[in-house]
Amino acid sequence: MQLAALGAEVVVHGRSAERGAETVQEIQNARGRARFVAADLSDADDVRRLAAAAGPVDILINNAGVYKFGATTDTDDALFDEHVNINLRAPYILVPQLVPGMAERGNGAVVNISTVAAGVPARAGGIYGASKAGRRCAGDRRATGTGRVAVKGRGRRRCTGRPSR
């Protein structure tokens, strides 16, 4: 909503066209510009299709995620894959699809929404924390060296192995 209020066209994505339409309508009711692109972030090809449908973007906000509680000993392959595919792989695919265009245009921003659980283990959140920690580190690494593209995040620390400057 805030980006739309500042004049940005917002690309809303998700699996539910109904919820997407509601969000687009809410933005438009506030005199913003928005459109919806359906995408299942657990499907790598759908993530690539989302990037193509979004077209050139100036700001990529990696905020989608899944958090299903379960002890590591109770985490089966399906739960593991769901967390890794949505929380880590989807942003990892979106960055190389969208950031080069930002660099070519001379600016842009990647915002990685993370969590304190990425650095502090939780009893029932092992794969969630691990997937978010991976997003935090991969986000830093994938978007660096691409020109004037800022990498920002909430609840994240740099993953360079040395103090931030």
Side-chain angles (χ1 to χ4, degrees):
M1 294 292 292
Q2 291 177 351
L3 291 172
L6 293 170
E9 177 185 358
V10 177
V11 178
V12 176
H13 73 84
R15 291 172 293 187
S16 168
E18 181 179 330
R19 288 180 54 198
E22 290 171 5
T23 303
V24 167
Q25 189 61 56
E26 186 178 342
I27 292 169
Q28 291 172 340
N29 288 345
R31 302 192 194 281
R33 294 180 304 138
R35 59 191 171 94
F36 175 73
V37 177
D40 178 355
L41 298 184
S42 68
D43 181 321
D45 290 334
D46 220 21
V47 175
R48 289 180 187 91
R49 189 189 56 72
L50 167 62
V57 299
D58 296 316
I59 303 169
L60 169 61
I61 301 176
N62 288 316
N63 66 323
V66 62
Y67 183 4
K68 295 187 178 173
F69 297 92
T72 300
T73 55
D74 298 329
T75 300
D76 61 14
D77 290 347
L79 184 67
F80 181 92
D81 289 346
E82 181 179 23
H83 279 80
V84 170
N85 291 345
I86 294 172
N87 295 350
L88 176 59
R89 186 180 67 188
Y92 200 79
I93 291 171
L94 288 171
V95 167
Q97 298 290 314
L98 299 172
V99 169
M102 294 178 196
E104 287 173 17
R105 291 186 301 279
N107 61 46
V110 177
V111 180
N112 290 310
I113 305 300
S114 189
T115 173
V116 70
V120 179
R123 174 168 287 154
I127 188 55
Y128 172 73
S131 64
K132 288 293 198 164
R135 174 187 290 188
R136 182 188 290 172
C137 291
D140 278 358
R141 302 248 189 249
R142 295 283 294 186
T144 56
T146 56
R148 292 177 31 198
V149 177
V151 180
K152 302 174 182 183
R154 185 178 77 192
R156 72 165 187 75
R157 285 177 258 165
R158 295 182 65 81
C159 295
T160 58
R162 61 181 182 273
S164 302
R165 292 189 182 112

